[in-house]
Amino acid sequence: MTSLLLNDATLLDCTGADPRPYVSVLVEDGRVSRIGDAGSIAAPTDAQTVDCAGRTLMPGLTDAHVHFGAVDTGAAEPAEQQSHVSYVLNVADNIRIALDEGFTTVRDAGGLDPAYAVAVATGQIVGPRILPSGSFLTITGGHGDHRSPWTDQAEHSIPGLVAHSEIVDGADEVRRAARTQLRRGATQVKLMVSGGVMSPNDPLESIQFSVPEIRAAVEEAHAFGKYVMAHAHTAASIQNGLEAGVRSFEHGSMLDEEKAKRIAQQDAFMVPTTVILELLLRWEGMPEFSRQKAELVLGQTADSVRMARAAGAKIGSGSDLLGPRQRRRGAEIVTKAKLLGAMDAILSATHVNAELFRMEDRIGTVEIGKDADLILVDGQPLDDVGVLVDARNFPLVVRGGVVVKDAL
Ligand SMILES: [Zn+2]
């Protein structure tokens, strides 16, 4: 592997420190090996040298809640008219776009077969490192059960290709389904424990899965050294999740102060997803049942994020983008910045997510010894966080020390 010398950058290392101008960073064997004043590091003979010309150098962005496989929402033709080939190509598109937009590690929040993570890891698709959940686990009639009331026929997953919801009831079925996802390579198990916006049959306030059912998934995840992430909008569903040992609460849009404190005390994470609500409400094809639920959630999300922050809960960053050609993923950081400020919104999408992924020793900051997942940004994200939205503002993306995008 050739080494890489990045000269004369403004370093935003995402440890929380202020940006530092005139910095050079040396990358050897896929890792950051030296950080010094510009011009102070001699390039090894084999090194590729990049003149950063004062641009911002920062760790690759991360997204804790992607749905690369959810290509049907808002798609031109209904799912049943799409071929498998078309599905795979749409998913691959989403994967490539995320990397082009500066994202070097993402956690899929359900619906993506872990085979896509393998395809990236083996270099068959150039994309961000993917931490897959495989299929969602949902109760009958829950957020992941997309059947019309007039059929009992569920869509079946095709292992290695497509991961549909697993509709499971009772602790034993949950246990088996969790084990199956882990067998296929899930890095965490995803459960739907409250109602959701995009599902037809469940009220938002509905409680999905009992505490013993959730606990069965948590036990199996723990047995494999993994954890459970739970889709949970309401305080009551978060209460059940906390009781059962869930580590990552997705959306959390109707939180209360007591649960916010317990999330902090239990060292759990909150992953609010803010930008998707605005996008969905602008979408003309949004079903009426979803529109009402989205408006309800949107009205309370800002308060919930502020509550979580006041309680000291760790706040990760997830976009929840849906559909084919998922673009402008960084818009989540912009909407989050309105609530947390630019610095904390950026740290949430780097450093905090790294801790959530249990990868804080490898990614999330630019420090000596860390993986060289690095991006070069045209502009100053702390002054104008909006620069993180457009792929054209990322002329260079490096993943694991390898230049995977070079538009300089
Ligand atoms: Zn989601």
Side-chain angles (χ1 to χ4, degrees):
M1 186 179 275
T2 52
S3 40
L4 180 67
L5 180 64
L6 300 152
N7 263 330
D8 186 19
T10 301
L11 180 65
L12 177 60
D13 65 13
C14 291
T15 61
D18 286 335
R20 182 177 150 199
Y22 311 114
V23 171
S24 288
V25 172
L26 181 64
V27 172
E28 291 175 295
D29 297 323
R31 292 182 185 198
V32 173
S33 62
R34 284 184 69 188
I35 300 172
D37 292 337
S40 71
I41 303 173
T45 45
D46 70 325
Q48 179 189 349
T49 301
V50 175
D51 179 9
C52 301
R55 291 182 180 90
T56 302
L57 179 69
M58 58 183 287
L61 299 172
T62 67
D63 189 332
H65 197 118
V66 311
H67 290 295
F68 283 155
V71 296
D72 300 332
T73 314
E77 71 273 12
E80 53 280 7
Q81 285 172 29
Q82 269 191 52
S83 68
H84 289 317
V85 170
S86 165
Y87 172 80
V88 170
L89 293 175
N90 276 332
V91 173
D93 232 9
N94 283 340
I95 293 173
R96 273 192 291 265
I97 293 168
L99 188 76
D100 193 42
E101 294 186 338
F103 286 81
T104 50
T105 300
V106 302
R107 184 180 64 165
D108 195 89
L112 185 76
D113 192 284
Y116 294 90
V118 176
V120 171
T122 56
Q124 287 180 297
I125 311 175
V126 180
R129 195 182 281 113
I130 300 173
L131 306 170
S133 302
S135 295
F136 307 102
L137 275 50
T138 181
I139 61 164
T140 294
H143 178 50
D145 182 348
H146 299 291
R147 293 175 294 181
S148 125
W150 320 124
T151 181
D152 290 332
Q153 213 66 49
E155 289 178 297
H156 288 290
S157 299
I158 305 171
L161 181 65
V162 53
H164 287 302
S165 296
E166 290 292 326
I167 301 170
V168 285
D169 298 288
D172 286 348
E173 285 188 23
V174 171
R175 203 177 286 283
R176 177 189 292 277
R179 286 174 177 169
T180 300
Q181 300 320 307
L182 294 164
R183 174 170 78 85
R184 299 205 201 291
T187 47
Q188 61 286 319
V189 175
K190 170 77 183 287
L191 260 64
M192 306 297 203
V193 308
S194 84
V197 171
M198 294 302 287
S199 40
N201 303 311
D202 54 335
L204 211 47
E205 313 72 39
S206 59
I207 300 283
Q208 305 186 1
F209 287 121
S210 63
V211 173
E213 286 174 311
I214 304 171
R215 197 174 283 132
V218 169
E219 283 172 7
E220 294 309 319
H222 284 184
F224 266 51
K226 318 277 188 201
Y227 65 92
V228 166
M229 64 187 287
H231 160 106
H233 279 290
T234 58
S237 63
I238 290 172
Q239 164 80 31
N240 279 353
L242 286 164
E243 211 65 47
V246 168
R247 180 160 176 270
S248 182
F249 289 97
E250 309 303 301
H251 317 301
S253 53
M254 297 154 91
L255 191 63
D256 66 21
E257 272 174 36
E258 190 216 327
K259 258 60 87 188
K261 284 190 192 129
R262 279 193 64 189
I263 291 175
Q265 281 159 7
Q266 283 190 217
D267 222 15
F269 289 74
M270 177 73 178
V271 183
T273 53
T274 56
V275 73
I276 187 65
L277 294 166
E278 292 175 17
L279 294 175
L280 286 173
L281 285 168
R282 268 188 256 145
W283 174 37
E284 282 171 18
M286 174 95 149
E288 194 46 40
F289 62 82
S290 292
R291 180 169 301 278
Q292 287 169 11
K293 293 200 272 190
E295 275 162 8
L296 181 66
V297 166
L298 184 63
Q300 302 192 38
T301 295
D303 282 345
S304 296
V305 175
R306 288 194 198 99
M307 236 178 252
R309 179 191 226 188
K314 289 177 203 156
I315 301 175
S317 185
S319 68
D320 206 10
L321 291 192
L322 303 167
R325 274 154 235 108
Q326 296 170 8
R327 288 190 196 282
R328 301 174 66 79
R329 189 167 293 285
E332 177 65 27
I333 305 171
V334 177
T335 53
K336 204 70 81 34
K338 289 180 194 154
L339 305 170
L340 303 176
M343 179 61 115
D344 280 355
I346 291 168
L347 293 184
S348 165
T350 51
H351 178 141
V352 180
N353 273 356
E355 198 187 332
L356 169 59
F357 302 159
R358 294 184 171 146
M359 294 179 75
E360 66 271 26
D361 56 334
R362 290 180 53 196
I363 64 167
T365 60
V366 183
E367 292 177 285
I368 290 171
K370 293 259 176 108
D371 285 16
D373 284 6
L374 304 167
I375 56 176
L376 212 50
V377 185
D378 265 328
Q380 313 279 355
L382 288 180
D383 299 336
D384 175 13
V385 73
V387 299
L388 298 177
V389 178
D390 191 330
R392 287 169 297 186
N393 294 329
F394 303 101
L396 188 82
V397 178
V398 179
R399 209 204 64 200
V402 176
V403 176
V404 285
K405 174 183 179 181
D406 185 356
L408 276 171

